[in-house]
């Protein structure tokens, strides 16, 4: 198996891809050092102190399902709670994986989790996802039945987008919902995207700062908008409920792909009249 290149970088992500199977999954490497367990504990402690004020209710409710906070969990132990709840399973991967295997795993309700943890120098920011981002950011909402169904639907849609040559458009929807989505609740704006929830700086920024634009989620608008991997997002898209998100993605995206094909993408910070 070969690693994939992340974003605009020419450097492939770290990870031992030689141990990956044909679908890019591998046994979790659980030989973590005491320092790595402590790094996970400190990351968890820092983020869990923020989520009460900034995370959506479903995330806060499900966070304890990750189990012990003081060490990197065994994925199979989480699966013992996750599978009965929503029929999802976590599978270990050595790092970022190509789009098609990623879509196939999601379509089968298998969520890929990178099994290494960031270095001490990356404590505040890491370019590519590690086990803390994948577990803390993504997994709690897989315990929510509606959101879990949306993630599977995204994977199924990805398989079709692959056939239509529209993966770049669909990847922007993933970014602006699963990674950097905001939701409006009775107690105000809250985060549900994993990239926000696992970031100590972007979590309060995304919810509170007056700087970014926050738009109601429109599929075509999100799919046409580039995103940033090297800074906080200048644009976020907001939903009213996970049911709204699930229902929006029930439609065939082919007309949207055809509408956007050949049109220039908008910059991440572009402000477009009427959106």
């Amino acid at each position: 198996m070969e690693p994939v290149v992340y974003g605009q970088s020419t450097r492939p992500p770290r990870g031992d891809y030689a141990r990956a199977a044909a679908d890019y999954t591998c046994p979790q490497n659980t030989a973590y050092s005491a320092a790595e367990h402590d790094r996970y504990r400190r990351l968890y402690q820092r983020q869990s102190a923020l989520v009460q004020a900034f995370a959506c209710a479903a995330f806060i409710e499900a966070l304890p399902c990750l189990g012990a906070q003081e060490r990197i969990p065994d994925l199979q132990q989480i699966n013992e709670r996750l599978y009965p709840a929503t029929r999802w399973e976590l599978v270990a991967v050595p790092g970022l994986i190509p789009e098609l295997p990623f879509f196939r795993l999601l379509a089968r309700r298998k969520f890929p989790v990178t099994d290494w943890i960031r270095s001490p120098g990356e404590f505040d920011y890491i370019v590519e996802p590690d086990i803390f981002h994948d577990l803390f950011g993504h997994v709690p909402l897989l315990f929510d039945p509606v959101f879990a169904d949306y993630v599977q639907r995204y994977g199924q849609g990805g398989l079709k987008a692959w056939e239509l040559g529209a993966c770049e458009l669909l990847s922007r929807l993933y970014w602006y919902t699963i990674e950097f989505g905001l939701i409006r609740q009775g107690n105000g704006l809250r985060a549900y995207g994993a990239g926000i929830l696992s970031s100590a700086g972007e979590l309060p920024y995304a919810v509170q700062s007056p700087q970014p634009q926050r738009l109601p989620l429109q599929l075509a608008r999100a799919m046409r908008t580039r995103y940033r991997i090297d800074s906080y997002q200048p644009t976020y898209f907001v939903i009213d409920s996970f049911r709204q998100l699930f229902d929006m993605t029930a439609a065939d995206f082919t007309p949207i792909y055809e509408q956007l094909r050949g049109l220039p993408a908008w910059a991440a910070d572009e402000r477009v009249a009427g959106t």
Side-chain angles (χ1 to χ4, degrees), residues 150 172-181 192-194 217 245:
Y150 167 68
R172 293 171 186 156
L173 181 63
Y174 186 93
W175 188 267
Y176 284 119
T177 59
I178 295 172
E179 288 288 359
F180 287 92
Y192 73 90
L217 179 63
L245 181 62

Side-chain angles (χ1 to χ4, degrees), residues 32-53:
Y32 302 110
S33 67
E36 288 173 324
H37 282 301
D38 183 64
R39 199 171 307 136
Y40 179 89
R41 178 192 64 78
R42 290 185 292 116
L43 285 164
Y44 193 114
Q45 185 177 52
R46 180 174 67 173
Q47 288 307 112
S48 61
L50 294 171
V51 296
Q52 290 292 332

Side-chain angles (χ1 to χ4, degrees), residues 183-258:
I183 186 170
R184 198 170 302 282
Q185 300 181 158
N187 58 349
L189 199 65
R190 294 294 183 266
Y192 73 90
I196 306 175
L197 292 165
S198 61
S199 169
E202 191 151 5
L203 183 50
Y205 171 86
V207 174
Q208 286 188 331
S209 173
Q211 296 181 29
Q213 63 174 336
R214 301 177 181 88
L215 307 174
L217 179 63
Q218 298 176 9
L219 297 178
R221 177 65 163 93
M223 289 183 188
R224 194 175 171 182
T225 304
R226 296 193 190 97
Y227 52 80
R228 300 290 301 271
I229 66 168
D230 57 353
S231 69
Y232 297 161
Q233 300 304 305
T235 299
Y236 298 96
F237 291 89
V238 184
I239 61 171
D240 294 321
S241 69
F242 293 147
R243 173 56 61 183
Q244 175 202 17
L245 181 62
F246 182 78
D247 290 344
M248 286 179 72
T249 56
D252 180 5
F253 286 178
T254 304
I256 300 177
Y257 298 152
E258 293 303 320

